[in-house]
Amino acid sequence: MSEEINEHNEEELNEEMEPLEGGEATGETITRVSGMFQDWFLDYASYVILERAVPAIEDGFKPVQRRIMHALKELDDGRYNKVANVVGHTMQYHPHGDASIGDAMVGIGQKDLLIDTQGNWGNILTGDRAAASRYIEARLSKFALDVVYNPKITDWQASYDGRKKEPINLPVMFPLLLAQGAEGIAVGLSTKVLPHNFIELIDASIKHLKEKRFTILPDFATAGIADFTNYNDGLRGGKVRVRARISQQDKNTLVITEVPFGQTTGSLIDSILKANEKGKIKIKKIEDNTSANVEILVHLPSGISPDRTIDALYAFTNCETSISPLGCVIEDNSPLFVGVTEMLKRSTDRTKELLRQELEIQRNEFENQWHYASLERIFIENRIYRDIEEEETWEGVIKAIDKGLKPHIGHLKRPVTEEDITRLTEIRIKRISKFDIDKAQQKIDALEAQIAEVTHHLEHLTDYAIAYFTRLKKDYGKGKERKTEIRIFDDIQATKVVLRNTKLYVNRAEGFIGTSLKRDEYVTDCSDIDDIIVFTKEGKMMVTRVGTKTFIGKDIIHVAVFKKKDKRTTYNMIYKDGTGGATYVKRFNVTSITRDKEYDLTNGKKGSIMYYFTANPNGEAELLTVYLRAVASVKKLRLEVDLADILIKGRASRGNIVTKHSVKSVELKEKGLSTLKPRKIWFDETVQRLNVDERGELLGEFRSEDRLLIINQHGNARTIVPDVTAHFDSDMIVLEKWEPEKPITAIYWDGEKERYYGKRFLIENPDKPETFISDHDNSQLELVSTDHRPVAELVFYKERGKDQKENESVSMEDFIAVKGINALGNQLYPQKLKQLNWLESLPYEAPVEIPTEELEVVGEETVPSETTPTTQKETSTSENNTSESENGEELDDEGQITLF
């Protein structure tokens, strides 16, 4: 028989083989599969999709999970079972090896929802595996027994060998798929449903039952921080960004206390070590102190910024990862792509339907009990049992009882069947002799009350379902609060946080830059992902990647690391426009550009050359002296040019004419001051970061010497130089521009002396964090103010037997003088207060500050006001304010091409 099949297949394949184009020359053929091969593959693909990888939308289980839960129910006696025993029992239903069943069971157990575990079940934080199945035990949790099982409303099917019955779907009355999440890879498709918060799912189900809108977002057992901005309801194309929780323990130590979903402490540490080896970050060592909670200590070398390192960890390691959800489930034996909102709606509607089925079964059971209890009472109370004494046949007995019942059954809700009469004949004489009519009636009344209650629930099914979900939340919601913090992430630019792990050199005369030119002039430290901006004496500019050796052009005059969107770095240049042309001066920024494209900063005439060039990080404008060549027509051989009088424009502008005469040289007469206003800085509370993009609360205008004051709930004060890479802890209560001469006022509870103290102090060491309350464990900061003259309000407890004491106000300026930060302060009150509040501060007249120069600022660009004089008349050409895109498009200089 097998030989016949092989011959048949060979003939079929030969018929399907066709030569490719040009096949006669090459001998190549294409084989089209059909028949048995095609059917087998489709069967296999369908089996993997339906029976292994993808969960059903009805109960949220994959087949192996459903069979494990069924086996656990069959073995359930309230005691723990060896997992090996459960695995063996499951194999009666699951036609695969014990390893896959054991792994699936550990996965369910680690979610801590359906299975009550005992023993070493592994650690989702460290990635440690569970012990062997013969060493660990399990039983069903109370929650699983409550919401997963009800044999009366379960549809059954034969197991794979026909010896057992297994559930088609379990009657799960809870959005279990969303609570546990699911992940699987099948043939041609995959699924990735992220886990959601238990309490939030119940609240959303209740909102759906009330026909209200709701939103649900994932929640991970590993906690961490997540940005769900692009979650897309869990559909294909969405993305979730997750981060570890990193904080600064001290100036040389970072601590990681939560890991992102999908990562373990081991994978996190490996990624950090790899980034260190590649030079992206620089660390001294890593300590893993994880036990019940995550604690990874990252020790930094001295001189390395902790804030910048935190950003670098997010940029270059697994401390930040992206997850792409994909909501795929099985419905009616077909894959269905659906969002989490629709999943929850369907689950809630199915729960409501299952509750209806349960109630109808209960009502039928109560009605049957009421029916039989009523028949029993009629049978005994009316002594119908005596009518069968003379009957000699079974048929006669049945007819006699039926005849005796007929006058008394008009109030029954359904006809009397032969089965009912048979049950009456089974009543024992002893029970008849002890029959109590009153108790029988009480039982009937109780059944009628239960029937009425169930009927009421069926008529108000939505309210009943809401009460059901509310009970679940009350009974099982404790300890299941959200673990993952929801936050909008700021985008970290890798070039700003990468460690400068290599050195850049330049050969100015020959026109080469690179990291391998170690015999030439050293320029700066850089990283291998930096862009480098280069200017040549001919007035050419180019931005290129860091390389080992790159040719730019001869006579390089400036090389630096390029900062994208940098509006503060200002380039000043004086150049001659071609052979015999006029001399121009211009000031410009380079905020964006096309990489590896050469830009001409002159007008492009042959023979153009730069006389003077500077790159100033804060818009400094120098005072220059221009010397002219001595010719008969020139009377004044020296000119002064103040760059502060020149407008900052785009790099493509021609500039202002300095002179039309021949220039001998240009020299620096006087270094200039910044022509930029102090930088305005905002704090965006949503992402807990500083910015200069007008997002959040304006903190003020900052000069180079200005600092930020930070005070947290633990009584720690510090000042920092404002930096957009700075990180802030969630316990921060004060963040503002620091005024060194303005005192800080604090009221705190001293844990050792057990009384309130008040103090006023100044920051004595700006570069060092200091604690200004006592170091006792029970000491606690109550109030802190940075106002000049704050007033505190004391609210007292009512003493027994006495009238309520009126609130007292205290002017802190009069209460205590400004003292050292380490001073204890003055005793404010010796007992516990009901409340402490700040009242409106007393008026204070601040000294008049010297106003900043009247400059108009657009973003970080600086433009002198209209009243500012200009010494030279600016000329322009048609190309003045344009720059070319990579595709040769003409763009306004304000909308330059973005660097990619």
Side-chain angles (χ1 to χ4, degrees), residues 832-863:
K832 275 286 187 180
L833 292 168
K834 184 177 181 180
Q835 199 171 347
L836 269 167
N837 305 309
W838 286 126
L839 299 177
E840 185 177 354
S841 299
L842 297 175
Y844 173 78
E845 293 185 6
V848 179
E849 293 186 0
I850 300 174
T852 312
E853 288 184 66
E854 294 296 327
L855 297 176
E856 298 173 4
V857 179
V858 180
E860 291 300 329
E861 295 181 69
T862 304
V863 182

Coordinates of all heavy atoms in Angstrom, one line a residue, residues 832-863:
K832 N 1.1 67.0 70.0 CA 0.7 66.7 68.6 C -0.4 67.7 68.2 O -1.3 68.0 69.1 CB 0.1 65.3 68.5 CG 1.1 64.2 68.2 CD 1.6 64.3 66.7 CE 2.5 63.2 66.3 NZ 2.9 63.3 64.9
L833 N -0.4 68.3 67.0 CA -1.4 69.2 66.5 C -2.3 68.5 65.6 O -1.9 67.5 64.9 CB -0.7 70.3 65.8 CG 0.1 71.3 66.7 CD1 1.0 72.2 65.8 CD2 -0.8 72.1 67.6
K834 N -3.5 69.0 65.5 CA -4.5 68.4 64.6 C -4.1 68.7 63.1 O -4.2 67.9 62.2 CB -5.9 68.9 64.9 CG -7.0 68.3 64.1 CD -8.4 68.8 64.5 CE -9.5 68.2 63.7 NZ -10.8 68.7 64.1
Q835 N -3.6 69.9 63.0 CA -3.2 70.3 61.6 C -2.3 71.5 61.6 O -2.3 72.3 62.6 CB -4.5 70.7 60.8 CG -4.4 70.7 59.3 CD -5.7 70.9 58.6 OE1 -6.8 70.8 59.3 NE2 -5.7 71.2 57.4
L836 N -1.4 71.6 60.6 CA -0.5 72.7 60.4 C -0.7 73.3 59.0 O -0.7 72.5 58.1 CB 0.9 72.3 60.6 CG 1.5 72.4 62.0 CD1 2.8 71.7 62.1 CD2 1.7 73.9 62.4
N837 N -0.9 74.6 58.9 CA -1.2 75.2 57.6 C -0.3 76.4 57.4 O 0.1 77.1 58.4 CB -2.6 75.6 57.4 CG -3.6 74.4 57.6 OD1 -3.4 73.3 57.1 ND2 -4.6 74.6 58.5
W838 N -0.1 76.8 56.2 CA 0.5 78.1 55.9 C -0.7 79.1 55.6 O -1.6 78.8 54.9 CB 1.4 78.1 54.7 CG 2.7 77.4 54.9 CD1 3.3 76.4 54.1 CD2 3.7 77.8 55.8 NE1 4.5 76.1 54.5 CE2 4.8 76.9 55.6 CE3 3.8 78.7 56.9 CZ2 6.0 77.0 56.4 CZ3 5.0 78.7 57.6 CH2 6.1 77.9 57.4
L839 N -0.6 80.2 56.3 CA -1.5 81.3 55.9 C -0.9 82.2 54.9 O 0.2 82.0 54.5 CB -1.9 82.1 57.2 CG -2.6 81.3 58.3 CD1 -2.8 82.2 59.5 CD2 -3.9 80.7 57.8
E840 N -1.6 83.2 54.5 CA -1.0 84.2 53.5 C 0.2 84.9 54.1 O 0.2 85.4 55.3 CB -2.1 85.2 53.1 CG -1.6 86.2 52.0 CD -2.7 87.1 51.6 OE1 -3.8 87.0 52.1 OE2 -2.4 88.0 50.8
S841 N 1.3 84.9 53.4 CA 2.5 85.5 53.9 C 2.4 87.0 54.0 O 1.6 87.6 53.3 CB 3.7 85.2 52.9 OG 3.9 83.8 52.8
L842 N 3.2 87.5 54.9 CA 3.2 89.0 55.1 C 3.9 89.7 53.9 O 4.7 89.0 53.2 CB 4.0 89.3 56.4 CG 3.4 88.8 57.7 CD1 4.3 89.1 58.9 CD2 2.0 89.4 57.9
P843 N 3.5 90.9 53.6 CA 4.1 91.6 52.4 C 5.6 91.8 52.6 O 6.1 92.0 53.7 CB 3.3 92.9 52.4 CG 2.7 93.1 53.8 CD 2.5 91.7 54.3
Y844 N 6.2 91.7 51.4 CA 7.7 91.9 51.4 C 8.0 92.7 50.1 O 7.5 92.4 49.0 CB 8.4 90.5 51.3 CG 9.9 90.6 51.1 CD1 10.7 90.9 52.1 CD2 10.4 90.3 49.8 CE1 12.1 91.0 51.9 CE2 11.8 90.4 49.6 CZ 12.6 90.7 50.7 OH 14.0 90.8 50.5
E845 N 8.9 93.7 50.3 CA 9.3 94.5 49.2 C 10.7 94.0 48.7 O 11.7 94.2 49.4 CB 9.4 96.0 49.6 CG 8.0 96.6 49.9 CD 8.1 98.1 50.2 OE1 9.3 98.6 50.0 OE2 7.1 98.7 50.5
A846 N 10.7 93.4 47.5 CA 12.0 92.9 47.0 C 12.8 94.1 46.4 O 12.3 95.1 45.9 CB 11.7 91.9 45.9
P847 N 14.1 94.0 46.5 CA 15.0 95.0 45.9 C 14.8 95.0 44.4 O 14.6 94.0 43.8 CB 16.4 94.6 46.3 CG 16.3 93.1 46.6 CD 14.9 92.9 47.2
V848 N 15.0 96.2 43.8 CA 14.8 96.3 42.4 C 16.0 95.7 41.7 O 17.2 96.1 42.0 CB 14.6 97.8 42.0 CG1 14.5 98.0 40.5 CG2 13.4 98.4 42.7
E849 N 15.8 94.8 40.7 CA 16.9 94.2 40.0 C 17.1 95.0 38.7 O 16.3 95.7 38.2 CB 16.5 92.8 39.5 CG 16.3 91.8 40.7 CD 16.1 90.4 40.2 OE1 16.0 90.2 39.0 OE2 16.0 89.5 41.1
I850 N 18.4 95.0 38.3 CA 18.8 95.6 37.0 C 18.2 94.9 35.9 O 18.3 93.7 35.8 CB 20.3 95.7 36.9 CG1 20.9 96.4 38.1 CG2 20.7 96.3 35.5 CD1 22.4 96.4 38.1
P851 N 17.4 95.5 35.0 CA 16.7 94.8 34.0 C 17.6 94.2 32.9 O 18.7 94.8 32.7 CB 15.7 95.8 33.4 CG 16.4 97.1 33.7 CD 17.1 97.0 35.0
T852 N 17.2 93.1 32.4 CA 18.0 92.5 31.3 C 17.9 93.4 30.0 O 17.0 94.2 29.9 CB 17.4 91.1 30.9 OG1 17.2 90.4 32.2 CG2 18.4 90.3 30.0
E853 N 18.9 93.3 29.2 CA 18.9 94.1 28.0 C 17.6 93.9 27.2 O 17.1 92.8 27.2 CB 20.1 93.7 27.1 CG 21.5 94.2 27.6 CD 22.5 93.8 26.6 OE1 22.5 94.3 25.5 OE2 23.3 92.9 26.9
E854 N 17.2 94.9 26.6 CA 15.9 94.8 25.8 C 16.2 94.1 24.5 O 16.6 94.7 23.5 CB 15.4 96.2 25.5 CG 14.9 97.0 26.8 CD 13.7 96.2 27.4 OE1 13.0 95.6 26.7 OE2 13.7 96.2 28.6
L855 N 16.1 92.8 24.5 CA 16.3 92.0 23.4 C 15.1 91.2 23.1 O 14.4 90.7 24.0 CB 17.5 91.0 23.6 CG 18.9 91.7 23.8 CD1 19.9 90.6 24.1 CD2 19.3 92.5 22.6
E856 N 14.8 91.0 21.8 CA 13.6 90.2 21.4 C 14.2 88.8 21.2 O 15.1 88.6 20.4 CB 13.0 90.7 20.2 CG 12.4 92.1 20.3 CD 11.9 92.6 19.0 OE1 11.9 91.9 18.0 OE2 11.5 93.8 19.0
V857 N 13.6 87.8 21.9 CA 14.0 86.4 21.8 C 13.0 85.5 21.2 O 11.8 85.6 21.6 CB 14.4 85.9 23.2 CG1 14.9 84.4 23.1 CG2 15.5 86.7 23.8
V858 N 13.3 84.8 20.1 CA 12.4 83.8 19.5 C 13.0 82.5 19.8 O 14.0 82.1 19.2 CB 12.3 84.1 18.0 CG1 11.3 83.0 17.4 CG2 11.8 85.5 17.7
G859 N 12.4 81.7 20.7 CA 13.0 80.5 21.1 C 14.3 80.8 21.8 O 14.4 81.5 22.8
E860 N 15.4 80.2 21.3 CA 16.7 80.5 21.8 C 17.5 81.5 20.9 O 18.6 81.8 21.2 CB 17.5 79.2 22.0 CG 17.0 78.3 23.0 CD 17.0 79.0 24.4 OE1 17.9 79.8 24.7 OE2 16.2 78.7 25.2
E861 N 16.8 82.0 19.8 CA 17.5 82.9 18.9 C 17.4 84.3 19.5 O 16.4 84.7 20.2 CB 16.9 82.9 17.5 CG 17.0 81.6 16.8 CD 16.4 81.6 15.5 OE1 16.9 82.4 14.6 OE2 15.4 81.0 15.2
T862 N 18.4 85.1 19.3 CA 18.4 86.5 19.8 C 18.3 87.5 18.7 O 19.1 87.4 17.7 CB 19.6 86.7 20.7 OG1 19.6 85.7 21.7 CG2 19.6 88.1 21.3
V863 N 17.4 88.4 18.8 CA 17.3 89.5 17.7 C 17.3 90.8 18.4 O 16.5 91.0 19.3 CB 16.0 89.3 16.9 CG1 15.9 90.3 15.9 CG2 15.9 87.9 16.3

